[in-house]
Protein backbone atom coordinates (compact mmCIF):
# COMPACT_ATOMS: atom_id res chain seq x y z
CA UNK A 1 0.00 0.00 0.00
CA UNK A 2 1.29 3.41 -1.04
CA UNK A 3 1.95 5.69 1.97
CA UNK A 4 1.35 9.44 1.90
CA UNK A 5 4.00 11.74 3.28
CA UNK A 6 2.98 15.32 4.09
CA UNK A 7 6.01 17.19 5.42
CA UNK A 8 7.14 15.23 8.48
CA UNK A 9 3.82 13.36 8.75
CA UNK A 10 3.81 9.88 7.29
CA UNK A 11 0.32 8.45 6.73
CA UNK A 12 0.05 4.70 6.38
CA UNK A 13 -2.31 4.88 3.43
CA UNK A 14 -3.20 7.55 0.87
CA UNK A 15 -6.97 7.77 1.53
CA UNK A 16 -8.16 10.82 3.47
CA UNK A 17 -11.48 12.21 4.66
CA UNK A 18 -12.32 15.69 3.31
CA UNK A 19 -13.13 18.58 5.60
CA UNK A 20 -16.93 18.96 5.51
CA UNK A 21 -18.99 21.61 7.27
CA UNK A 22 -21.61 20.03 9.53
CA UNK A 23 -20.20 16.53 8.98
CA UNK A 24 -16.60 16.04 10.10
CA UNK A 25 -17.01 16.52 13.84
CA UNK A 26 -14.80 14.66 16.34
CA UNK A 27 -17.11 11.62 16.50
CA UNK A 28 -17.34 11.34 12.72
CA UNK A 29 -13.61 11.74 12.22
CA UNK A 30 -12.98 8.99 14.72
CA UNK A 31 -15.24 6.43 13.04
CA UNK A 32 -13.86 7.29 9.60
CA UNK A 33 -10.32 6.79 10.89
CA UNK A 34 -11.34 3.52 12.49
CA UNK A 35 -12.78 2.51 9.12
CA UNK A 36 -9.41 3.23 7.48
CA UNK A 37 -9.07 6.94 6.65
CA UNK A 38 -5.46 7.90 7.32
CA UNK A 39 -6.24 11.57 7.88
CA UNK A 40 -9.37 13.54 8.75
CA UNK A 41 -9.64 17.32 8.89
CA UNK A 42 -11.81 19.39 11.19
CA UNK A 43 -14.24 21.27 8.95
CA UNK A 44 -13.48 24.75 7.60
CA UNK A 45 -13.41 27.24 10.47
CA UNK A 46 -13.22 30.98 10.13
CA UNK A 47 -10.11 32.61 11.57
CA UNK A 48 -12.17 35.54 12.86
CA UNK A 49 -14.42 33.15 14.81
CA UNK A 50 -11.34 31.41 16.26
CA UNK A 51 -9.83 34.73 17.35
CA UNK A 52 -13.14 35.85 18.87
CA UNK A 53 -13.44 32.56 20.76
CA UNK A 54 -16.84 31.84 19.25
CA UNK A 55 -18.42 29.08 21.36
CA UNK A 56 -19.56 26.85 18.47
CA UNK A 57 -16.16 27.22 16.80
CA UNK A 58 -14.36 26.30 20.03
CA UNK A 59 -16.49 23.17 20.31
CA UNK A 60 -15.71 22.21 16.70
CA UNK A 61 -11.99 22.82 17.23
CA UNK A 62 -11.73 20.04 19.80
CA UNK A 63 -9.70 17.01 18.86
CA UNK A 64 -10.89 13.67 20.19
CA UNK A 65 -8.59 12.14 22.82
CA UNK A 66 -5.53 10.71 21.13
CA UNK A 67 -6.40 12.09 17.68
CA UNK A 68 -3.27 11.96 15.53
CA UNK A 69 -2.48 13.66 13.32
CA UNK A 70 -4.73 16.51 14.42
CA UNK A 71 -5.73 18.42 11.30
CA UNK A 72 -7.85 21.53 10.87
CA UNK A 73 -8.95 23.62 7.91
CA UNK A 74 -9.08 27.39 8.27
CA UNK A 75 -10.45 30.19 6.11
CA UNK A 76 -9.65 33.87 6.12
CA UNK A 77 -8.63 36.72 3.84
CA UNK A 78 -6.18 38.70 5.85
CA UNK A 79 -2.54 37.72 6.28
CA UNK A 80 -2.18 39.59 9.57
CA UNK A 81 -5.05 37.48 10.97
CA UNK A 82 -3.18 34.33 9.91
CA UNK A 83 -0.27 35.58 12.02
CA UNK A 84 -2.55 36.27 14.98
CA UNK A 85 -4.30 32.91 14.83
CA UNK A 86 -1.12 30.80 14.89
CA UNK A 87 -0.90 30.54 18.73
CA UNK A 88 -4.52 29.29 18.84
CA UNK A 89 -3.59 26.37 16.60
CA UNK A 90 -0.57 25.02 18.39
CA UNK A 91 -2.19 21.66 19.24
CA UNK A 92 -2.72 20.69 15.58
CA UNK A 93 -0.17 18.77 13.52
CA UNK A 94 -1.50 19.97 10.20
CA UNK A 95 -3.18 23.16 9.00
CA UNK A 96 -5.10 23.27 5.71
CA UNK A 97 -5.92 26.60 4.11
CA UNK A 98 -9.25 26.69 2.28
CA UNK A 99 -8.81 28.26 -1.15
CA UNK A 100 -11.77 26.60 -2.82
CA UNK A 101 -15.04 27.18 -1.01
CA UNK A 102 -17.55 28.65 -3.49
CA UNK A 103 -20.16 29.66 -0.90
CA UNK A 104 -21.12 33.32 -1.17
CA UNK A 105 -20.82 33.57 2.63
CA UNK A 106 -17.09 32.85 2.20
CA UNK A 107 -16.28 34.44 -1.17
CA UNK A 108 -18.21 37.56 -0.11
CA UNK A 109 -15.55 37.86 2.56
CA UNK A 110 -12.81 37.55 -0.10
CA UNK A 111 -11.77 34.11 1.12
CA UNK A 112 -12.28 30.52 -0.13
CA UNK A 113 -12.32 30.29 -3.93
CA UNK A 114 -12.14 34.10 -4.19
CA UNK A 115 -8.45 33.70 -3.34
CA UNK A 116 -7.82 31.78 -6.57
CA UNK A 117 -7.79 35.18 -8.31
CA UNK A 118 -4.89 36.21 -6.10
CA UNK A 119 -2.27 33.43 -5.82
CA UNK A 120 0.22 35.91 -4.34
CA UNK A 121 -2.06 36.22 -1.31
CA UNK A 122 -2.40 32.43 -1.04
CA UNK A 123 1.39 32.29 -1.04
CA UNK A 124 1.52 34.84 1.79
CA UNK A 125 -0.97 32.86 3.88
CA UNK A 126 0.93 29.61 3.45
CA UNK A 127 4.26 31.31 4.15
CA UNK A 128 2.86 32.85 7.33
CA UNK A 129 1.72 29.47 8.67
CA UNK A 130 4.99 27.80 7.61
CA UNK A 131 6.97 30.52 9.39
CA UNK A 132 4.89 29.79 12.50
CA UNK A 133 6.21 26.23 12.34
CA UNK A 134 3.21 24.28 11.00
CA UNK A 135 2.88 21.53 8.44
CA UNK A 136 0.65 23.21 5.87
CA UNK A 137 -1.59 22.06 3.04
CA UNK A 138 -3.86 24.06 0.75
CA UNK A 139 -7.12 22.90 -0.82
CA UNK A 140 -7.98 24.56 -4.11
CA UNK A 141 -10.46 24.30 -6.96
CA UNK A 142 -9.47 24.79 -10.60
CA UNK A 143 -10.29 28.49 -10.41
CA UNK A 144 -12.05 30.79 -12.84
CA UNK A 145 -10.02 29.88 -15.96
CA UNK A 146 -8.69 26.33 -16.28
CA UNK A 147 -5.02 27.17 -16.91
CA UNK A 148 -5.19 29.18 -13.71
CA UNK A 149 -4.82 26.02 -11.63
CA UNK A 150 -1.22 25.53 -12.83
CA UNK A 151 -0.28 29.06 -11.81
CA UNK A 152 -1.92 28.73 -8.40
CA UNK A 153 -0.33 25.32 -7.79
CA UNK A 154 3.13 26.74 -8.51
CA UNK A 155 2.56 29.56 -6.03
CA UNK A 156 1.41 27.02 -3.43
CA UNK A 157 4.58 25.01 -3.96
CA UNK A 158 6.84 28.10 -3.90
CA UNK A 159 5.24 29.21 -0.65
CA UNK A 160 6.53 26.01 0.95
CA UNK A 161 3.25 24.07 1.33
CA UNK A 162 3.75 20.42 2.25
CA UNK A 163 0.96 19.15 -0.04
CA UNK A 164 -1.79 20.41 -2.30
CA UNK A 165 -5.35 19.08 -2.56
CA UNK A 166 -7.19 19.78 -5.80
CA UNK A 167 -10.95 19.56 -6.08
CA UNK A 168 -11.11 19.37 -9.87
CA UNK A 169 -14.05 21.69 -10.46
CA UNK A 170 -14.14 25.30 -11.52
CA UNK A 171 -14.80 27.81 -8.74
CA UNK A 172 -18.31 28.35 -10.11
CA UNK A 173 -19.30 24.73 -10.75
CA UNK A 174 -21.80 22.76 -8.69
CA UNK A 175 -21.38 19.08 -7.93
CA UNK A 176 -23.63 18.19 -10.90
CA UNK A 177 -20.72 19.06 -13.25
CA UNK A 178 -18.24 16.15 -13.41
CA UNK A 179 -14.82 16.78 -11.87
CA UNK A 180 -12.10 17.14 -14.55
CA UNK A 181 -9.26 14.97 -13.30
CA UNK A 182 -7.03 15.74 -16.29
CA UNK A 183 -6.21 19.08 -14.63
CA UNK A 184 -5.06 17.26 -11.53
CA UNK A 185 -2.71 15.17 -13.70
CA UNK A 186 -1.36 18.34 -15.35
CA UNK A 187 -0.63 19.91 -11.98
CA UNK A 188 0.98 16.72 -10.70
CA UNK A 189 3.33 16.78 -13.70
CA UNK A 190 4.32 20.37 -12.98
CA UNK A 191 4.98 20.48 -9.24
CA UNK A 192 7.09 18.46 -6.83
CA UNK A 193 4.99 18.45 -3.63
CA UNK A 194 2.46 15.67 -2.96
CA UNK A 195 -0.87 16.13 -4.74
CA UNK A 196 -4.13 14.82 -3.29
CA UNK A 197 -6.90 14.39 -5.85
CA UNK A 198 -10.51 15.13 -4.98
CA UNK A 199 -13.82 15.03 -6.83
CA UNK A 200 -16.30 12.22 -7.56
CA UNK A 201 -14.41 9.36 -5.90
CA UNK A 202 -17.07 6.96 -4.66
CA UNK A 203 -15.57 3.48 -5.12
CA UNK A 204 -12.35 1.54 -4.80
CA UNK A 205 -11.94 1.57 -8.58
CA UNK A 206 -12.24 5.37 -8.79
CA UNK A 207 -9.77 5.76 -5.91
CA UNK A 208 -7.31 3.48 -7.70
CA UNK A 209 -7.70 5.50 -10.92
CA UNK A 210 -7.04 8.75 -9.07
CA UNK A 211 -4.01 7.22 -7.33
CA UNK A 212 -2.54 6.43 -10.73
CA UNK A 213 -2.11 10.20 -11.21
CA UNK A 214 -1.72 11.47 -7.63
CA UNK A 215 -0.14 10.73 -4.26
CA UNK A 216 -3.39 10.66 -2.31
CA UNK A 217 -7.18 10.71 -2.64
CA UNK A 218 -9.68 12.75 -0.66
CA UNK A 219 -13.23 11.53 -0.16
CA UNK A 220 -16.14 13.83 0.71
CA UNK A 221 -19.75 13.05 -0.29
CA UNK A 222 -19.21 9.30 -0.61
CA UNK A 223 -18.20 9.26 3.07
CA UNK A 224 -21.37 11.00 4.34
CA UNK A 225 -23.27 8.32 6.24
CA UNK A 226 -20.87 5.76 4.78
CA UNK A 227 -17.62 5.71 6.76
CA UNK A 228 -17.07 2.20 5.44
CA UNK A 229 -16.10 3.71 2.11
CA UNK A 230 -12.59 3.85 3.60
CA UNK A 231 -12.57 0.15 4.46
CA UNK A 232 -13.98 -0.61 0.99
CA UNK A 233 -11.41 1.52 -0.84
CA UNK A 234 -8.50 -0.02 1.08
CA UNK A 235 -9.91 -3.46 0.31
CA UNK A 236 -9.93 -2.60 -3.41
CA UNK A 237 -6.41 -1.19 -3.28
CA UNK A 238 -5.22 -4.42 -1.66
CA UNK A 239 -7.26 -7.00 -3.58
CA UNK A 240 -8.21 -5.32 -6.85
CA UNK A 241 -11.96 -5.95 -6.43
CA UNK A 242 -14.85 -4.11 -4.78
CA UNK A 243 -16.00 -5.28 -1.38
CA UNK A 244 -19.72 -5.98 -0.88
CA UNK A 245 -21.61 -3.24 0.98
CA UNK A 246 -22.87 -4.12 4.44
CA UNK A 247 -25.85 -2.17 5.82
CA UNK A 248 -25.43 -3.88 9.18
CA UNK A 249 -21.78 -2.85 9.55
CA UNK A 250 -22.69 0.69 8.58
CA UNK A 251 -25.60 0.86 11.05
CA UNK A 252 -23.32 -0.39 13.77
CA UNK A 253 -21.04 2.52 12.97
CA UNK A 254 -24.02 4.89 13.26
CA UNK A 255 -24.59 3.51 16.76
CA UNK A 256 -20.90 4.03 17.50
CA UNK A 257 -21.19 7.58 16.14
CA UNK A 258 -24.11 8.28 18.52
CA UNK A 259 -22.15 6.90 21.46
CA UNK A 260 -19.12 9.07 20.61
CA UNK A 261 -21.31 12.14 20.05
CA UNK A 262 -22.58 11.77 23.62
CA UNK A 263 -19.07 11.24 24.93
CA UNK A 264 -17.66 14.30 23.14
CA UNK A 265 -20.64 16.52 23.98
CA UNK A 266 -21.76 16.99 20.37
CA UNK A 267 -25.18 18.37 21.12
CA UNK A 268 -26.34 19.51 17.68
CA UNK A 269 -29.22 17.11 17.15
CA UNK A 270 -30.19 18.36 13.69
CA UNK A 271 -26.62 17.75 12.50
CA UNK A 272 -26.71 14.23 13.97
CA UNK A 273 -30.08 13.53 12.32
CA UNK A 274 -28.80 14.74 8.96
CA UNK A 275 -25.94 12.27 9.21
CA UNK A 276 -28.33 9.57 10.41
CA UNK A 277 -30.55 10.03 7.36
CA UNK A 278 -27.47 9.35 5.23
CA UNK A 279 -26.53 6.25 7.19
CA UNK A 280 -29.85 4.63 6.24
CA UNK A 281 -29.61 5.49 2.54
CA UNK A 282 -30.16 2.37 0.46
CA UNK A 283 -31.68 0.28 3.27
CA UNK A 284 -35.01 -1.32 2.24
CA UNK A 285 -37.81 1.06 3.32
CA UNK A 286 -35.32 3.94 3.76
CA UNK A 287 -37.91 6.66 3.00
CA UNK A 288 -40.22 5.68 5.85
CA UNK A 289 -37.28 5.01 8.20
CA UNK A 290 -36.10 8.52 7.40
CA UNK A 291 -39.50 10.05 8.25
CA UNK A 292 -39.39 8.17 11.51
CA UNK A 293 -35.85 9.37 12.24
CA UNK A 294 -36.83 13.02 11.76
CA UNK A 295 -39.30 12.71 14.70
CA UNK A 296 -36.53 11.80 17.15
CA UNK A 297 -35.71 14.41 19.76
CA UNK A 298 -32.48 13.25 21.37
CA UNK A 299 -29.58 10.82 21.09
CA UNK A 300 -31.27 8.23 23.32
CA UNK A 301 -34.26 8.06 20.96
CA UNK A 302 -31.89 7.84 18.01
CA UNK A 303 -30.03 4.94 19.62
CA UNK A 304 -33.28 3.03 20.11
CA UNK A 305 -34.27 3.81 16.54
CA UNK A 306 -30.93 2.59 15.16
CA UNK A 307 -31.28 -0.63 17.19
CA UNK A 308 -34.75 -1.23 15.69
CA UNK A 309 -33.48 -0.81 12.12
CA UNK A 310 -30.49 -3.02 12.86
CA UNK A 311 -32.79 -5.84 13.95
CA UNK A 312 -34.86 -5.49 10.78
CA UNK A 313 -32.13 -5.64 8.10
C1 LIG B 1 -21.66 18.83 3.15
C2 LIG B 1 -20.36 19.31 2.56
C3 LIG B 1 -19.55 20.16 3.29
C4 LIG B 1 -18.32 20.59 2.76
N1 LIG B 1 -17.52 21.37 3.53
C5 LIG B 1 -16.25 21.67 3.09
C6 LIG B 1 -15.29 22.30 3.95
O1 LIG B 1 -15.54 22.56 5.12
N2 LIG B 1 -14.07 22.57 3.41
C7 LIG B 1 -13.74 22.23 2.13
O2 LIG B 1 -12.60 22.48 1.70
N3 LIG B 1 -14.61 21.63 1.31
C8 LIG B 1 -15.84 21.31 1.77
N4 LIG B 1 -16.69 20.61 0.96
C9 LIG B 1 -16.22 20.16 -0.36
C10 LIG B 1 -15.59 18.76 -0.23
O3 LIG B 1 -14.51 18.75 0.68
C11 LIG B 1 -15.11 18.22 -1.60
O4 LIG B 1 -14.11 19.07 -2.10
C12 LIG B 1 -16.24 18.14 -2.63
O5 LIG B 1 -17.44 17.64 -2.06
C13 LIG B 1 -15.82 17.21 -3.80
O6 LIG B 1 -15.48 15.93 -3.34
P1 LIG B 1 -16.48 14.66 -3.51
O7 LIG B 1 -16.78 14.51 -4.96
O8 LIG B 1 -15.72 13.49 -2.92
O9 LIG B 1 -17.74 15.00 -2.74
C14 LIG B 1 -17.93 20.19 1.47
C15 LIG B 1 -18.76 19.35 0.73
C16 LIG B 1 -19.95 18.90 1.25
C17 LIG B 1 -20.82 17.96 0.46
Amino acid sequence: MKKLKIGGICLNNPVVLAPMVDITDAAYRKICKQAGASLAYIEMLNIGAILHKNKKTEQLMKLYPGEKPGAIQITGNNISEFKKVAPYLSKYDLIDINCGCPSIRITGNQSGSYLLRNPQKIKGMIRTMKDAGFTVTAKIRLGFKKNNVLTVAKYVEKAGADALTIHARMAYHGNDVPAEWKWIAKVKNNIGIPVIGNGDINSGKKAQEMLEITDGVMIARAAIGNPLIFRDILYYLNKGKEREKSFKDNLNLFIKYLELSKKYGIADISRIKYLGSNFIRGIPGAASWRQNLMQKKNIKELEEFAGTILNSV
Side-chain angles (χ1 to χ4, degrees):
M1 175 78 59
K2 186 157 152 172
K3 292 194 189 320
L4 173 58
K5 203 164 174 301
I6 302 179
I9 300 170
C10 187
L11 304 171
N12 60 9
N13 75 59
V15 190
V16 313
L17 172 66
M20 281 187 281
V21 168
D22 286 342
I23 307 287
T24 54
D25 56 39
Y28 207 67
R29 295 196 304 278
K30 182 156 185 177
I31 56 171
C32 286
K33 283 206 190 158
Q34 284 178 341
S38 61
L39 174 67
Y41 289 93
I42 294 174
E43 68 186 60
M44 173 180 68
L45 295 177
N46 186 288
I47 292 182
I50 299 174
L51 292 172
H52 287 104
K53 296 182 176 285
N54 173 284
K55 281 276 161 290
K56 185 177 175 204
T57 302
E58 285 192 328
Q59 169 65 27
L60 290 169
M61 286 175 79
K62 285 186 186 157
L63 294 168
Y64 62 77
E67 180 165 6
K68 274 284 165 195
I72 187 169
Q73 188 188 59
I74 54 174
T75 174
N77 65 6
N78 183 321
I79 293 182
S80 69
E81 281 201 337
F82 276 75
K83 263 194 196 127
K84 279 193 212 146
V85 85
Y88 293 73
L89 304 178
S90 56
K91 69 177 169 190
Y92 304 104
D93 303 298
L94 183 51
I95 310 292
D96 185 69
I97 300 176
N98 183 304
C99 311
C101 181
S103 152
I104 185 80
R105 196 169 53 84
I106 302 298
T107 55
N109 194 27
Q110 302 191 356
S111 30
S113 59
Y114 185 94
L115 293 168
L116 297 169
R117 298 181 193 276
N118 189 350
Q120 190 69 43
K121 196 166 192 181
I122 295 177
K123 186 176 164 197
M125 291 170 171
I126 295 170
R127 203 53 265 155
T128 303
M129 298 318 279
K130 284 300 298 176
D131 288 346
F134 293 106
T135 299
V136 180
T137 57
K139 182 165 179 277
I140 65 172
R141 284 190 173 223
L142 299 182
F144 296 88
K145 289 189 202 142
K146 285 179 187 169
N147 275 332
N148 192 49
V149 69
L150 290 172
T151 311
V152 174
K154 285 182 184 158
Y155 271 87
V156 168
E157 178 176 39
K158 262 197 226 131
D162 296 287
L164 170 67
T165 302
I166 307 169
H167 173 194
R169 286 194 171 85
M170 305 302 289
Y172 46 82
H173 277 160
N175 286 334
D176 52 328
V177 179
E180 284 191 77
W181 292 10
K182 68 171 188 218
W183 288 100
I184 300 181
K186 281 195 184 162
V187 170
K188 173 68 193 157
N189 290 334
N190 278 279
I191 62 173
I193 56 174
V195 171
I196 302 170
N198 169 240
D200 297 342
I201 301 168
N202 55 9
S203 66
K205 183 165 184 289
K206 288 245 181 97
Q208 169 85 61
E209 283 167 12
M210 182 67 94
L211 283 168
E212 277 158 23
I213 53 172
T214 61
D215 306 281
V217 292
M218 179 179 273
I219 317 295
R221 286 166 300 156
I224 301 179
N226 182 29
L228 289 177
I229 185 80
F230 296 101
R231 182 184 76 176
D232 296 348
I233 287 175
L234 295 180
Y235 181 91
Y236 188 95
L237 297 179
N238 279 320
K239 308 226 177 199
K241 58 179 183 187
E242 301 288 357
R243 187 180 167 138
E244 233 169 82
K245 295 243 166 292
S246 162
F247 290 132
K248 263 195 194 306
D249 287 359
N250 219 35
L251 278 169
N252 274 317
L253 279 180
F254 181 47
I255 292 170
K256 180 89 197 155
Y257 171 71
L258 293 171
E259 190 189 310
L260 291 171
S261 299
K262 270 195 300 195
K263 197 164 158 188
Y264 302 154
I266 297 167
D268 187 344
I269 197 75
S270 50
R271 173 185 183 118
I272 295 172
K273 286 205 294 197
Y274 173 70
L275 259 173
S277 70
N278 281 284
F279 268 95
I280 57 183
R281 220 175 5 178
I283 289 181
S288 65
W289 284 121
R290 191 167 296 118
Q291 272 181 353
N292 198 332
L293 176 138
M294 289 304 162
Q295 315 297 321
K296 304 301 170 206
K297 295 190 191 63
N298 52 46
I299 295 190
K300 188 166 180 293
E301 286 185 11
L302 284 169
E303 281 176 326
E304 285 160 11
F305 168 79
T308 311
I309 310 188
L310 194 58
N311 288 332
S312 79
V313 290

